[in-house]
Amino acid sequence: MAWMSSGRTNAELIDKMVNNGLITSTRVAEAMRNVDRKNYVPDKSYAYEDSPQRIGYGATISAPHMHAHACENLLPLLPADSPKPGAILDVGSGSGYLTAVFHHLSPQSLIIGIDHLQPLVDQSLTNLKQDGIKVGKQSDGSGVIIFCGDGRKGSKENGPFSVIHVGAAAPTLPEALVEQLDKPGRMFIPVGEFSQDIWQIDKDVNGEVTKKKLFGVRYVPLTDPHKQWREDL
Ligand code: SAH
């Protein structure tokens, strides 16, 4: 059903995903309406297609319906009326698109994006600014930060995280990320090499961790920078 959701405008893309049942939450629809996908893709003519698109350096921006699935799955951990919303980690932030959606879903939270290639980090910061998002930590502790680093290690100094999204497939579940989940916290992560599945990892208020396999997917691997992209090729 995914391909049926392509639109001519960002609003049409979101409306079609709502009508096709790919987005069921009004909060997710609103947040995605606030992020114009054309600011995050190199080829503007495919901006509102419901398909992944290459963004350079061996990376892709995921299809809009995958972004929607991730947001809907993580939404219970981002309550709208929370007085003190938790921090959010977006590993393999790539284009910065989902980092921006998280910002609109939980504007009071600190959102940390990590990508391991500096040109992608630079590109995502440009994308966010183009989309009207003020980058940097604000005086009240909220804001959006994207830095270059190994996402498998997370960002201990900014944790624990109520929500961790991983945008690249890990061969095995990275323990450091499980450790950095808050109590409660939820991680949405593709795991596997040849065959990959989305796993939902929950940590409850007592620190107990449960793992649930959701559905099969195809993501770029969570790997080392030189395995993903070589400047001389
Ligand atoms: N959610 C992003 C997905 C980008 S593709 C989007 O929709 O735009 C996956 C990203 O993971 C790529 O940008 C890639 O550079 C990054 N990545 C792969 N391995 C990584 C690692 N070990 N640490 C951090 N980022 C990594």
Short mmCIF file of all heavy atoms in Angstrom, two decimals, residues 25-78:
data_model
loop_
_atom_site.label_atom_id
_atom_site.label_comp_id
_atom_site.label_asym_id
_atom_site.label_seq_id
_atom_site.Cartn_x
_atom_site.Cartn_y
_atom_site.Cartn_z
N SER A 25 -2.32 8.30 14.08
CA SER A 25 -2.32 9.29 15.17
C SER A 25 -2.31 10.72 14.61
O SER A 25 -1.52 11.03 13.71
CB SER A 25 -1.09 9.05 16.04
OG SER A 25 -0.52 10.26 16.44
N THR A 26 -3.18 11.56 15.15
CA THR A 26 -3.21 12.95 14.67
C THR A 26 -1.92 13.67 15.06
O THR A 26 -1.47 14.54 14.33
CB THR A 26 -4.41 13.73 15.25
OG1 THR A 26 -4.49 13.46 16.65
CG2 THR A 26 -5.70 13.35 14.60
N ARG A 27 -1.33 13.29 16.19
CA ARG A 27 -0.07 13.95 16.58
C ARG A 27 1.05 13.66 15.59
O ARG A 27 1.83 14.53 15.24
CB ARG A 27 0.36 13.49 17.98
CG ARG A 27 -0.29 14.28 19.09
CD ARG A 27 0.22 13.81 20.43
NE ARG A 27 1.60 14.17 20.69
CZ ARG A 27 2.40 13.50 21.50
NH1 ARG A 27 2.00 12.42 22.12
NH2 ARG A 27 3.65 13.90 21.69
N VAL A 28 1.10 12.41 15.13
CA VAL A 28 2.14 12.05 14.14
C VAL A 28 1.86 12.77 12.83
O VAL A 28 2.77 13.34 12.20
CB VAL A 28 2.22 10.51 13.94
CG1 VAL A 28 3.13 10.15 12.77
CG2 VAL A 28 2.72 9.84 15.23
N ALA A 29 0.59 12.81 12.42
CA ALA A 29 0.24 13.50 11.17
C ALA A 29 0.63 14.98 11.26
O ALA A 29 1.25 15.52 10.33
CB ALA A 29 -1.26 13.36 10.90
N GLU A 30 0.32 15.62 12.38
CA GLU A 30 0.65 17.04 12.56
C GLU A 30 2.15 17.26 12.49
O GLU A 30 2.64 18.18 11.82
CB GLU A 30 0.11 17.55 13.91
CG GLU A 30 -1.30 18.05 13.85
CD GLU A 30 -1.60 18.84 12.58
OE1 GLU A 30 -1.00 19.90 12.40
OE2 GLU A 30 -2.41 18.38 11.76
N ALA A 31 2.89 16.43 13.22
CA ALA A 31 4.36 16.59 13.25
C ALA A 31 4.94 16.41 11.85
O ALA A 31 5.81 17.18 11.42
CB ALA A 31 4.98 15.58 14.22
N MET A 32 4.43 15.43 11.09
CA MET A 32 4.95 15.19 9.74
C MET A 32 4.51 16.28 8.77
O MET A 32 5.23 16.57 7.81
CB MET A 32 4.56 13.79 9.24
CG MET A 32 5.32 12.70 10.00
SD MET A 32 5.02 11.01 9.42
CE MET A 32 5.99 10.95 7.91
N ARG A 33 3.38 16.89 9.02
CA ARG A 33 2.95 18.02 8.19
C ARG A 33 3.89 19.22 8.37
O ARG A 33 4.09 20.01 7.47
CB ARG A 33 1.55 18.48 8.61
CG ARG A 33 0.44 17.86 7.80
CD ARG A 33 -0.88 18.50 8.18
NE ARG A 33 -1.85 17.50 8.61
CZ ARG A 33 -2.44 16.65 7.78
NH1 ARG A 33 -2.21 16.70 6.50
NH2 ARG A 33 -3.29 15.76 8.23
N ASN A 34 4.45 19.33 9.59
CA ASN A 34 5.33 20.45 9.91
C ASN A 34 6.74 20.30 9.34
O ASN A 34 7.55 21.22 9.43
CB ASN A 34 5.43 20.61 11.43
CG ASN A 34 4.25 21.38 11.97
OD1 ASN A 34 3.81 22.35 11.36
ND2 ASN A 34 3.74 20.95 13.10
N VAL A 35 7.06 19.11 8.83
CA VAL A 35 8.40 18.86 8.27
C VAL A 35 8.24 18.65 6.77
O VAL A 35 7.66 17.65 6.35
CB VAL A 35 9.05 17.63 8.95
CG1 VAL A 35 10.44 17.38 8.39
CG2 VAL A 35 9.12 17.84 10.47
N ASP A 36 8.73 19.59 5.99
CA ASP A 36 8.57 19.47 4.54
C ASP A 36 9.70 18.60 3.98
O ASP A 36 10.87 18.98 4.01
CB ASP A 36 8.59 20.87 3.90
CG ASP A 36 8.13 20.83 2.45
OD1 ASP A 36 8.29 19.75 1.80
OD2 ASP A 36 7.63 21.85 1.96
N ARG A 37 9.32 17.42 3.45
CA ARG A 37 10.33 16.45 3.02
C ARG A 37 11.25 16.99 1.93
O ARG A 37 12.37 16.51 1.77
CB ARG A 37 9.61 15.16 2.56
CG ARG A 37 10.51 13.93 2.55
CD ARG A 37 9.67 12.66 2.48
NE ARG A 37 10.50 11.45 2.50
CZ ARG A 37 10.96 10.86 1.40
NH1 ARG A 37 10.66 11.34 0.22
NH2 ARG A 37 11.71 9.76 1.49
N LYS A 38 10.77 18.01 1.19
CA LYS A 38 11.62 18.52 0.09
C LYS A 38 12.90 19.17 0.63
O LYS A 38 13.90 19.27 -0.07
CB LYS A 38 10.84 19.47 -0.81
CG LYS A 38 10.78 20.92 -0.37
CD LYS A 38 10.36 21.80 -1.54
CE LYS A 38 10.39 23.28 -1.21
NZ LYS A 38 9.51 23.73 -0.14
N ASN A 39 12.87 19.59 1.90
CA ASN A 39 14.07 20.18 2.50
C ASN A 39 15.12 19.15 2.89
O ASN A 39 16.20 19.50 3.35
CB ASN A 39 13.70 21.01 3.73
CG ASN A 39 12.91 22.25 3.35
OD1 ASN A 39 13.22 22.90 2.36
ND2 ASN A 39 11.88 22.57 4.11
N TYR A 40 14.80 17.87 2.74
CA TYR A 40 15.69 16.81 3.22
C TYR A 40 16.17 15.87 2.11
O TYR A 40 16.84 14.90 2.39
CB TYR A 40 14.98 16.00 4.33
CG TYR A 40 14.64 16.87 5.52
CD1 TYR A 40 13.47 17.63 5.56
CD2 TYR A 40 15.53 16.98 6.59
CE1 TYR A 40 13.17 18.46 6.64
CE2 TYR A 40 15.24 17.80 7.68
CZ TYR A 40 14.07 18.54 7.68
OH TYR A 40 13.80 19.37 8.75
N VAL A 41 15.74 16.11 0.87
CA VAL A 41 16.12 15.22 -0.24
C VAL A 41 16.86 15.99 -1.32
O VAL A 41 16.53 17.16 -1.58
CB VAL A 41 14.88 14.52 -0.87
CG1 VAL A 41 14.20 13.60 0.13
CG2 VAL A 41 13.88 15.54 -1.41
N PRO A 42 17.87 15.36 -1.95
CA PRO A 42 18.60 16.07 -3.00
C PRO A 42 17.78 16.24 -4.28
O PRO A 42 17.87 17.27 -4.94
CB PRO A 42 19.84 15.20 -3.25
CG PRO A 42 19.61 13.92 -2.54
CD PRO A 42 18.44 14.07 -1.62
N ASP A 43 16.95 15.22 -4.62
CA ASP A 43 16.17 15.32 -5.85
C ASP A 43 14.73 15.72 -5.51
O ASP A 43 13.90 14.90 -5.13
CB ASP A 43 16.19 13.98 -6.59
CG ASP A 43 15.58 14.11 -7.98
OD1 ASP A 43 14.86 15.11 -8.22
OD2 ASP A 43 15.84 13.23 -8.82
N LYS A 44 14.46 17.02 -5.67
CA LYS A 44 13.17 17.57 -5.21
C LYS A 44 11.98 16.97 -5.96
O LYS A 44 10.87 16.98 -5.47
CB LYS A 44 13.14 19.10 -5.37
CG LYS A 44 14.36 19.81 -4.81
CD LYS A 44 14.47 19.69 -3.31
CE LYS A 44 15.72 20.37 -2.77
NZ LYS A 44 16.14 19.89 -1.45
N SER A 45 12.23 16.45 -7.21
CA SER A 45 11.09 15.95 -7.98
C SER A 45 10.51 14.67 -7.36
O SER A 45 9.39 14.29 -7.70
CB SER A 45 11.48 15.73 -9.44
OG SER A 45 12.67 15.00 -9.51
N TYR A 46 11.28 14.01 -6.48
CA TYR A 46 10.76 12.80 -5.82
C TYR A 46 10.46 13.04 -4.34
O TYR A 46 10.28 12.10 -3.58
CB TYR A 46 11.75 11.64 -5.95
CG TYR A 46 11.96 11.20 -7.37
CD1 TYR A 46 13.16 11.46 -8.04
CD2 TYR A 46 10.95 10.53 -8.06
CE1 TYR A 46 13.35 11.08 -9.35
CE2 TYR A 46 11.13 10.13 -9.37
CZ TYR A 46 12.33 10.41 -10.02
OH TYR A 46 12.51 10.01 -11.30
N ALA A 47 10.42 14.32 -3.95
CA ALA A 47 10.32 14.65 -2.51
C ALA A 47 9.11 14.01 -1.85
O ALA A 47 9.17 13.60 -0.69
CB ALA A 47 10.26 16.16 -2.33
N TYR A 48 7.98 13.93 -2.58
CA TYR A 48 6.74 13.48 -1.94
C TYR A 48 6.32 12.08 -2.38
O TYR A 48 5.16 11.69 -2.26
CB TYR A 48 5.63 14.52 -2.19
CG TYR A 48 6.10 15.91 -1.80
CD1 TYR A 48 6.11 16.96 -2.71
CD2 TYR A 48 6.57 16.15 -0.51
CE1 TYR A 48 6.58 18.22 -2.36
CE2 TYR A 48 7.05 17.40 -0.14
CZ TYR A 48 7.05 18.43 -1.07
OH TYR A 48 7.52 19.66 -0.70
N GLU A 49 7.33 11.31 -2.89
CA GLU A 49 7.10 9.89 -3.20
C GLU A 49 7.22 9.11 -1.91
O GLU A 49 8.12 9.38 -1.11
CB GLU A 49 8.21 9.38 -4.13
CG GLU A 49 8.23 9.99 -5.50
CD GLU A 49 7.44 9.17 -6.48
OE1 GLU A 49 7.75 7.99 -6.62
OE2 GLU A 49 6.51 9.74 -7.10
N ASP A 50 6.36 8.12 -1.74
CA ASP A 50 6.49 7.29 -0.53
C ASP A 50 7.49 6.17 -0.79
O ASP A 50 7.15 4.99 -0.83
CB ASP A 50 5.13 6.71 -0.11
CG ASP A 50 5.23 6.02 1.24
OD1 ASP A 50 6.25 6.24 1.94
OD2 ASP A 50 4.31 5.27 1.60
N SER A 51 8.75 6.58 -0.98
CA SER A 51 9.82 5.59 -1.20
C SER A 51 11.12 6.16 -0.65
O SER A 51 11.25 7.38 -0.51
CB SER A 51 9.95 5.28 -2.69
OG SER A 51 10.22 6.47 -3.38
N PRO A 52 12.10 5.28 -0.37
CA PRO A 52 13.39 5.80 0.10
C PRO A 52 14.09 6.54 -1.03
O PRO A 52 13.75 6.35 -2.20
CB PRO A 52 14.18 4.54 0.48
CG PRO A 52 13.33 3.37 0.18
CD PRO A 52 12.08 3.83 -0.48
N GLN A 53 15.04 7.38 -0.70
CA GLN A 53 15.77 8.11 -1.74
C GLN A 53 17.23 8.26 -1.31
O GLN A 53 17.52 8.49 -0.14
CB GLN A 53 15.13 9.49 -1.88
CG GLN A 53 15.39 10.09 -3.23
CD GLN A 53 14.85 11.51 -3.34
OE1 GLN A 53 15.60 12.45 -3.52
NE2 GLN A 53 13.55 11.68 -3.25
N ARG A 54 18.14 8.13 -2.27
CA ARG A 54 19.57 8.29 -1.96
C ARG A 54 19.85 9.73 -1.54
O ARG A 54 19.35 10.66 -2.18
CB ARG A 54 20.41 7.98 -3.20
CG ARG A 54 20.47 6.52 -3.52
CD ARG A 54 21.35 6.29 -4.75
NE ARG A 54 21.04 5.01 -5.35
CZ ARG A 54 21.47 3.84 -4.87
NH1 ARG A 54 22.23 3.81 -3.80
NH2 ARG A 54 21.15 2.72 -5.47
N ILE A 55 20.67 9.88 -0.48
CA ILE A 55 21.06 11.23 -0.06
C ILE A 55 22.57 11.43 -0.14
O ILE A 55 23.10 12.40 0.36
CB ILE A 55 20.54 11.56 1.37
CG1 ILE A 55 20.99 10.50 2.40
CG2 ILE A 55 19.02 11.68 1.38
CD1 ILE A 55 20.71 10.90 3.85
N GLY A 56 23.26 10.45 -0.79
CA GLY A 56 24.71 10.55 -0.93
C GLY A 56 25.43 9.80 0.19
O GLY A 56 24.83 9.41 1.19
N TYR A 57 26.73 9.56 -0.02
CA TYR A 57 27.61 8.92 0.99
C TYR A 57 27.11 7.55 1.43
O TYR A 57 27.27 7.14 2.58
CB TYR A 57 27.78 9.85 2.21
CG TYR A 57 28.13 11.26 1.81
CD1 TYR A 57 27.15 12.26 1.77
CD2 TYR A 57 29.43 11.59 1.42
CE1 TYR A 57 27.45 13.54 1.35
CE2 TYR A 57 29.74 12.86 1.00
CZ TYR A 57 28.74 13.84 0.97
OH TYR A 57 29.06 15.10 0.55
N GLY A 58 26.44 6.84 0.51
CA GLY A 58 25.96 5.48 0.80
C GLY A 58 24.74 5.46 1.71
O GLY A 58 24.38 4.41 2.24
N ALA A 59 24.10 6.60 1.90
CA ALA A 59 22.94 6.67 2.82
C ALA A 59 21.65 6.94 2.05
O ALA A 59 21.69 7.39 0.90
CB ALA A 59 23.16 7.77 3.85
N THR A 60 20.54 6.63 2.68
CA THR A 60 19.23 6.92 2.08
C THR A 60 18.33 7.57 3.13
O THR A 60 18.48 7.30 4.32
CB THR A 60 18.49 5.64 1.61
OG1 THR A 60 18.47 4.72 2.70
CG2 THR A 60 19.14 4.98 0.43
N ILE A 61 17.43 8.43 2.68
CA ILE A 61 16.35 8.88 3.56
C ILE A 61 15.29 7.79 3.46
O ILE A 61 14.96 7.33 2.36
CB ILE A 61 15.80 10.28 3.15
CG1 ILE A 61 14.65 10.70 4.07
CG2 ILE A 61 15.37 10.34 1.70
CD1 ILE A 61 14.19 12.16 3.85
N SER A 62 14.79 7.34 4.58
CA SER A 62 13.81 6.25 4.57
C SER A 62 12.50 6.71 3.93
O SER A 62 12.25 7.91 3.80
CB SER A 62 13.51 5.78 6.00
OG SER A 62 14.68 5.36 6.63
N ALA A 63 11.67 5.74 3.55
CA ALA A 63 10.36 6.06 2.98
C ALA A 63 9.48 6.71 4.06
O ALA A 63 9.57 6.34 5.23
CB ALA A 63 9.70 4.79 2.47
N PRO A 64 8.63 7.66 3.65
CA PRO A 64 7.76 8.32 4.62
C PRO A 64 6.95 7.35 5.49
O PRO A 64 6.78 7.58 6.68
CB PRO A 64 6.85 9.18 3.74
CG PRO A 64 7.68 9.47 2.52
CD PRO A 64 8.52 8.25 2.30
N HIS A 65 6.46 6.23 4.90
CA HIS A 65 5.65 5.33 5.74
C HIS A 65 6.48 4.65 6.81
O HIS A 65 5.96 4.30 7.87
CB HIS A 65 4.88 4.31 4.88
CG HIS A 65 5.74 3.25 4.26
ND1 HIS A 65 6.37 3.39 3.05
CD2 HIS A 65 6.10 2.02 4.72
CE1 HIS A 65 7.06 2.31 2.77
NE2 HIS A 65 6.92 1.46 3.77
N MET A 66 7.81 4.48 6.56
CA MET A 66 8.67 3.91 7.61
C MET A 66 8.88 4.92 8.73
O MET A 66 8.90 4.57 9.91
CB MET A 66 10.03 3.49 7.04
CG MET A 66 10.09 2.10 6.48
SD MET A 66 9.37 0.80 7.52
CE MET A 66 10.30 0.97 9.03
N HIS A 67 9.05 6.19 8.35
CA HIS A 67 9.16 7.24 9.37
C HIS A 67 7.88 7.29 10.21
O HIS A 67 7.92 7.43 11.43
CB HIS A 67 9.40 8.61 8.70
CG HIS A 67 10.79 8.78 8.15
ND1 HIS A 67 11.06 9.45 6.98
CD2 HIS A 67 11.99 8.38 8.63
CE1 HIS A 67 12.37 9.44 6.77
NE2 HIS A 67 12.95 8.80 7.74
N ALA A 68 6.74 7.15 9.53
CA ALA A 68 5.45 7.19 10.23
C ALA A 68 5.33 6.01 11.21
O ALA A 68 4.95 6.19 12.36
CB ALA A 68 4.30 7.16 9.22
N HIS A 69 5.73 4.80 10.75
CA HIS A 69 5.68 3.62 11.63
C HIS A 69 6.51 3.85 12.88
O HIS A 69 6.10 3.53 13.99
CB HIS A 69 6.26 2.39 10.92
CG HIS A 69 5.33 1.72 9.98
ND1 HIS A 69 4.01 1.51 10.27
CD2 HIS A 69 5.54 1.18 8.76
CE1 HIS A 69 3.44 0.89 9.25
NE2 HIS A 69 4.35 0.68 8.32
N ALA A 70 7.73 4.38 12.67
CA ALA A 70 8.65 4.59 13.80
C ALA A 70 8.01 5.56 14.80
O ALA A 70 7.99 5.30 16.01
CB ALA A 70 9.99 5.13 13.29
N CYS A 71 7.46 6.67 14.29
CA CYS A 71 6.87 7.68 15.19
C CYS A 71 5.68 7.11 15.95
O CYS A 71 5.53 7.32 17.15
CB CYS A 71 6.42 8.90 14.40
SG CYS A 71 7.80 9.83 13.77
N GLU A 72 4.83 6.36 15.24
CA GLU A 72 3.64 5.82 15.90
C GLU A 72 4.04 4.82 16.98
O GLU A 72 3.44 4.77 18.05
CB GLU A 72 2.72 5.16 14.87
CG GLU A 72 2.22 6.17 13.86
CD GLU A 72 0.72 6.14 13.68
OE1 GLU A 72 0.14 5.05 13.75
OE2 GLU A 72 0.14 7.23 13.45
N ASN A 73 5.07 4.03 16.68
CA ASN A 73 5.52 3.04 17.66
C ASN A 73 6.11 3.70 18.91
O ASN A 73 5.95 3.20 20.02
CB ASN A 73 6.57 2.12 17.00
CG ASN A 73 7.11 1.11 17.97
OD1 ASN A 73 8.13 1.33 18.61
ND2 ASN A 73 6.41 0.00 18.13
N LEU A 74 6.79 4.82 18.71
CA LEU A 74 7.49 5.47 19.83
C LEU A 74 6.61 6.47 20.59
O LEU A 74 6.96 6.89 21.70
CB LEU A 74 8.76 6.15 19.30
CG LEU A 74 9.82 5.17 18.75
CD1 LEU A 74 10.87 5.92 17.93
CD2 LEU A 74 10.49 4.41 19.89
N LEU A 75 5.48 6.82 20.00
CA LEU A 75 4.61 7.86 20.55
C LEU A 75 4.19 7.66 22.02
O LEU A 75 4.18 8.63 22.79
CB LEU A 75 3.36 7.99 19.66
CG LEU A 75 2.57 9.28 19.82
CD1 LEU A 75 3.40 10.51 19.48
CD2 LEU A 75 1.31 9.23 18.97
N PRO A 76 3.88 6.42 22.46
CA PRO A 76 3.47 6.25 23.86
C PRO A 76 4.53 6.74 24.86
O PRO A 76 4.20 7.05 25.99
CB PRO A 76 3.26 4.73 23.99
CG PRO A 76 3.02 4.25 22.60
CD PRO A 76 3.80 5.16 21.70
N LEU A 77 5.77 6.78 24.42
CA LEU A 77 6.84 7.25 25.32
C LEU A 77 7.05 8.76 25.21
O LEU A 77 7.95 9.32 25.85
CB LEU A 77 8.15 6.50 24.98
CG LEU A 77 8.39 5.16 25.67
CD1 LEU A 77 8.62 5.35 27.17
CD2 LEU A 77 7.27 4.17 25.44
N LEU A 78 6.25 9.41 24.36
CA LEU A 78 6.35 10.86 24.19
C LEU A 78 5.00 11.51 24.48
O LEU A 78 4.37 12.09 23.60
CB LEU A 78 6.77 11.19 22.74
CG LEU A 78 8.10 10.64 22.26
CD1 LEU A 78 8.27 10.85 20.77
CD2 LEU A 78 9.24 11.29 23.02
#
